[in-house]
Amino acid sequence: MTNKQELFFDVIILGSGPAGFSAAIYASRGNLKTAILDISMFGGQPSNYLEIENYPGFSLIGGFELMEKFEEHADKFGVEKFPMVEIERVTLNSELKEIETNDTVFKSKSVIIATGAQAKKLGISGEEEFKGRGVSYCAICDGAFYKDKTVAVVGGGNSAIEEAIYLTKFAQKVYIIHRRDELRADKICQQRAFENEKIEFILSHSPLEIQGTNTVETLVLKDLKTNETKDLKVNGVFPYIGFGPNVENFNGQLKQNQQGFIETDTNMQTSIEGVYAAGDVRNTPLRQVITAASDGAIAACSAVKYVEALEETTKV
Ligand code: NAP
């Protein structure tokens, strides 16, 4: 027997980024008893972004400030909030879904997964230190800050090449650093990069260290053929070595694509009835605040319909 408290909800939202808070607003306005849980502080990835200038209605806003507004908005509708929870178990395959933390068993008719994704890290010295001060994992968010500057993109996949091309809109020079001689990206994407005069490829090299004072100044590279090191003078480093969804608590209960992102239909319904996924954690072509917020709204409306239908059935 567990002596943990039990709490009951119509919908539990896991994750408190734009998808999570948007879902919370729509679900509580849809009259569902709504809880939002996060394993860290509220706000998700955008709360780490220095500035956001592509969220409609705000030509320039701090990421933290924007997410505070999302949270205040959810507060207005009485969403119950549980930050910094330690999740021990998630059971989705039953009619009443359960999320067990160290001190509580949350039980809910429906669940919205909005746990986001994270860029894979290079794991080199200086990467963490200069995050937000020259190291960025989002060219769309931060590219405009590198007008007439020199930047390096690390990786050889579609993301790296496409983001490098995007960065040439602002930067005067973009290096693409890749660990092999051959790129992984689609040929058409490679061709566009080869034809771009602002892009220079440094192949068979891997990054060793990021150096600077207040902001990034140097990317130290290792030539993988000769083992020699060289200093590359850059103002920014954009690692694009793949993204991974935050799905470790679901133990393969849901259908996922090859990269692990959760598969949904257009209603954000996952492979399990009553379980929805929204934002970066799902299989989506664009990972932005606006698309995550939109997913959250759709997921919540689907959950409202599902819970209403469930209540109708149990009435009879
Ligand atoms: P990806 O295809 O997995 O490419 C990651 C790249 O980073 C690879 O070139 C890999 O090198 C390199 N890499 C991995 N770990 C590294 C490390 N520790 N140090 C240095 N380099 C490292 O990831 P992605 O580019 O994010 O794309 C993910 C998926 O989304 C792919 O299926 C991609 O096709 C798709 N995608 C599609 C589009 C599009 O269709 N428009 C756009 C973006 C992404 P190796 O090549 O040597 O393994």
Side-chain angles (χ1 to χ4, degrees), residues 55-224:
Y55 189 72
F58 298 92
S59 57
L60 186 71
I61 186 164
F64 187 80
E65 194 188 342
L66 180 62
M67 291 320 300
E68 270 188 335
K69 287 185 187 293
F70 271 61
E71 186 175 346
E72 281 163 22
H73 196 160
D75 285 343
K76 191 178 150 192
F77 299 111
V79 175
E80 293 183 49
K81 300 187 295 181
F82 300 88
M84 309 291 289
V85 295
E86 273 176 50
I87 293 180
E88 292 178 351
R89 175 180 60 90
V90 177
T91 305
L92 301 171
N93 260 316
S94 47
E95 193 168 296
L96 204 56
K97 326 289 179 200
E98 290 191 1
I99 290 126
E100 184 171 349
T101 65
N102 51 331
D103 57 7
T104 304
V105 181
F106 292 87
K107 298 193 176 188
S108 181
K109 293 172 188 159
S110 63
V111 169
I112 297 174
I113 298 170
T115 46
Q118 36 180 315
K120 291 188 190 154
K121 305 283 185 297
L122 294 168
I124 59 173
S125 162
E127 183 178 24
E128 209 44 49
E129 185 188 344
F130 289 107
K131 196 169 141 192
R133 294 188 294 129
V135 174
S136 167
Y137 302 89
C138 181
I140 295 181
C141 320
D142 296 333
F145 303 121
Y146 294 88
K147 194 165 171 0
D148 300 326
K149 303 259 164 76
T150 299
V151 298
V153 173
V154 183
N158 274 325
S159 298
I161 308 305
E162 287 183 11
E163 302 305 322
I165 294 169
Y166 178 79
L167 284 166
T168 61
K169 287 174 192 253
F170 312 100
Q172 50 111 355
K173 174 108 195 162
V174 178
Y175 292 105
I176 295 178
I177 319 295
H178 181 43
R179 62 185 176 184
R180 290 185 296 132
D181 268 347
E182 248 182 65
L183 300 173
R184 181 178 290 277
D186 301 339
K187 291 281 178 262
I188 187 158
C189 182
Q190 296 189 23
Q191 199 52 41
R192 284 191 196 121
F194 292 143
E195 284 165 7
N196 192 313
E197 285 174 359
K198 286 186 174 179
I199 293 179
E200 183 179 331
F201 285 88
I202 304 183
L203 300 175
S204 295
H205 280 71
S206 69
L208 275 186
E209 189 180 347
I210 297 166
Q211 299 173 341
T213 43
N214 287 329
T215 56
V216 167
E217 289 163 11
T218 306
L219 177 62
V220 183
L221 297 175
K222 180 179 179 183
D223 184 326
L224 297 171

